[in-house]
Amino acid sequence: LEQEITAAIEAATDEPALEEVRVSALGKKGKISELMKTLGKMSPEERKEMGPALNGLKGRVGDAIAARKEILKDQALNERLKSETVDVTLPTRMGSPFEGRVHPIAQVTDELTAIFADMGFAVAEGPDIEEDFYNFTALNFPPDHPARLEHDTFFLPVDAEGNQKVLRTHTSPVQIRTMTSQEPPIRVICPGRTYRCDSDQTHTPMFHQVEGLVIEEGIHMGHLKWTLEEFCKAFFEVDSVKMRFRASHFPFTEPSMEVDIGCQRVGNELRIGEGDDWLEILGCGMVHPNVLRNCDLDPDRYTGFAFGMGIDRIAMLKYGMPDLRAFFNGDKRWLDHYGFRP
Ligand code: PHE
C-alpha cells in the first residue's frame, strides 16, 4: 500500500492532483484512515504491533505529500516567471517619441570631469550630510568664527557620537576627507551637491560645486593659475580667456582669491573669454598651513592649492540658461529644450 501511495504522490504533476492523492490516502474515507479504524477491532497484541506501524505509515505519507507539494509550488513559480519575463532590450514597437534627456548639470559635470581627468585629476566624493568638523572646524573655521554664519547652514540633529551634523555648505569638506585618507601627491576634483538656506533668482537651497585640490611638494600659485586657465579654455571652448584674480578671504586658504572671467554681451548672446565685463566663477587659494596640520600633513614639506566652483553657474554661462531655479523644478518642457541627447 505504501508503495502504491508513494507512486501516486510522485505521479501527481500539480497541486490539485496531489490533493486528490492526499484525500484518497489520509482523508476521512482514505485508505490509511480506513486501516486505522480496524485497530479498534484487533486484539491487544495485534494492536501493539499494527498501531505503531500504521502511525509510521501515516507520518511518512504525510511527509512525502508535503515535500511533493513544495516541489510543485516551486515548479509552478518557475513556469510563471518564465512565461512572464520581459525582454527590456527589445526596441519599442513604434520608436518612442519620449526619449529622455541628460540634465545640464549631469552633462556639465561629465564635461568638467573629463577635462580635469586629462590633467591627471581623480574624482573624490564625500557625504551630503556632513559633520560640522569636516565642513568647518578642520577647514580652520574656529568654533565662533563669523564666517560660519555667512554659510547659511542647514543644521541637523547631533548624532549618537555627539557630532553636530549639517548639510554640507560647500564641497571643501571633501578636501579634509581626501587629505586624511590618502598620501600626497594628491590631485582630485570633488563634484557634488551643496546646500545653503538661501533662495532667489540666482540662489537655490541646493546647488552644485566642484572642488579641486592639489597637494604635493613645491606647488605654488603658478600651478593654480595655469590649471584654472587651461580648464576655462577647454570648458568654454575658446583659445584664450581673460581672467582676473581678486584678493579675497576664506579661512582654509592663504592667500585667498576670487576669480572672474572676461565676458561681453552681444545682443542676446553672452561671449565668454573676451570683453570688458567680468563674471565671478570661483573661489580659490593656497591651502592654509593649519588645514594641512589638521590633516597630519607637514606644511614645511607640502604645499597645495584648492578651488571651488559653482557648477550651476558655469553651466548657465556656457549654455545660456537664464534662470537657475528652472534647473531644479522638474519641468519637462525645460529639460526637453535645454537637456542633452544621451
Ligand atoms: N568653499 C568655498 C565656497 O564655497 C570656495 C573655495 C574652495 C575657496 C576652495 C577656496 C578654496 O565659497
Side-chain angles (χ1 to χ4, degrees):
L1 176 64
E2 183 166 358
Q3 268 178 12
E4 184 192 312
I5 297 173
T6 312
I9 291 171
E10 290 311 313
T13 52
D14 55 25
E15 288 187 62
L18 184 63
E19 179 61 10
E20 260 175 49
V21 178
R22 191 191 66 79
V23 171
S24 78
L26 302 174
K28 255 192 195 140
K29 300 215 163 101
K31 289 181 187 133
I32 296 177
S33 311
E34 294 296 338
L35 281 174
M36 299 290 262
K37 285 179 200 157
T38 64
L39 284 174
K41 292 177 198 125
M42 288 179 191
S43 67
E45 290 77 36
E46 271 181 312
R47 198 180 307 144
K48 218 172 174 185
E49 198 182 309
M50 286 304 284
L54 282 177
N55 268 323
L57 174 64
K58 190 175 164 189
R60 286 194 300 280
V61 167
D63 289 348
I65 290 175
R68 181 76 184 148
K69 195 163 177 174
E70 279 308 306
I71 292 174
L72 290 176
K73 251 197 202 148
D74 267 6
Q75 275 178 0
L77 181 62
N78 281 337
E79 283 304 314
R80 230 183 86 194
L81 288 177
K82 228 193 269 169
S83 67
E84 287 177 10
T85 48
V86 174
D87 182 352
V88 293
T89 65
L90 286 174
T92 55
R93 275 201 191 117
M94 41 206 188
S96 172
F98 304 119
E99 188 184 53
R101 292 278 177 205
V102 175
H103 194 283
I105 295 297
Q107 168 75 19
V108 164
T109 303
D110 285 351
E111 289 175 15
L112 65 88
T113 302
I115 293 168
F116 281 113
D118 279 347
M119 293 196 248
F121 284 76
V123 172
E125 287 183 314
D128 290 16
I129 296 174
E130 189 50 281
E131 289 171 24
D132 177 280
F133 175 79
Y134 290 99
N135 197 82
F136 293 122
T137 309
L139 285 163
N140 199 35
F141 287 78
D144 292 312
H145 197 280
R148 285 179 180 239
L149 300 176
E150 288 163 25
H151 274 230
D152 299 312
T153 312
F154 284 110
F155 287 95
L156 299 170
V158 175
D159 73 8
E161 280 90 55
N163 300 310
Q164 172 67 56
K165 296 284 196 151
V166 300
L167 291 181
R168 67 178 179 193
T169 58
H170 49 178
T171 42
S172 301
V174 190
Q175 286 190 34
I176 306 298
R177 290 189 174 271
T178 307
M179 284 186 272
T180 51
S181 66
Q182 201 167 304
E183 293 288 314
I186 291 171
R187 216 178 280 183
V188 292
I189 57 161
C190 333
R193 294 193 175 106
T194 47
Y195 307 82
R196 292 188 196 186
C197 190
D198 196 358
S199 186
D200 60 34
Q201 272 257 337
T202 52
H203 296 89
T204 51
M206 187 279 299
F207 57 107
H208 298 80
Q209 286 190 341
V210 57
E211 194 81 6
L213 176 70
V214 171
I215 306 284
E216 266 176 70
E217 290 179 22
I219 293 294
H220 54 70
M221 280 220 330
H223 297 120
L224 169 61
K225 274 191 81 174
W226 181 85
T227 305
L228 293 174
E229 262 169 36
E230 288 306 303
F231 168 75
C232 286
K233 284 194 280 184
F235 181 76
F236 291 109
E237 299 171 352
V238 289
D239 295 331
S240 69
V241 202
K242 245 168 71 175
M243 290 178 93
R244 170 167 92 169
F245 288 69
R246 273 184 296 107
S248 182
H249 175 263
F250 303 103
F252 40 95
T253 46
E254 181 58 38
S256 301
M257 289 148 287
E258 280 174 318
V259 176
D260 302 335
I261 50 172
C263 64
Q264 188 168 23
R265 220 165 259 292
V266 184
N268 263 341
E269 190 201 344
L270 186 65
R271 292 215 187 123
I272 303 288
E274 49 182 305
D276 297 327
D277 281 341
W278 295 101
L279 272 168
E280 182 190 323
I281 59 161
L282 62 91
C284 64
M286 301 305 292
V287 177
H288 196 293
N290 286 350
V291 173
L292 294 171
R293 279 187 210 105
N294 290 342
C295 299
D296 273 331
L297 291 171
D298 177 5
D300 291 326
R301 178 167 177 201
Y302 295 112
T303 51
F305 67 76
F307 59 85
M309 191 158 39
I311 295 182
D312 319 271
R313 188 38 116 65
I314 60 170
M316 289 168 80
L317 292 177
K318 181 167 178 179
Y319 294 110
M321 295 171 285
D323 187 354
L324 178 63
R325 287 170 298 191
F327 277 54
F328 308 121
N329 65 14
D331 188 330
K332 197 178 153 297
R333 293 164 302 178
W334 183 85
L335 196 57
D336 283 343
H337 183 76
Y338 286 110
F340 292 80
R341 286 192 161 273

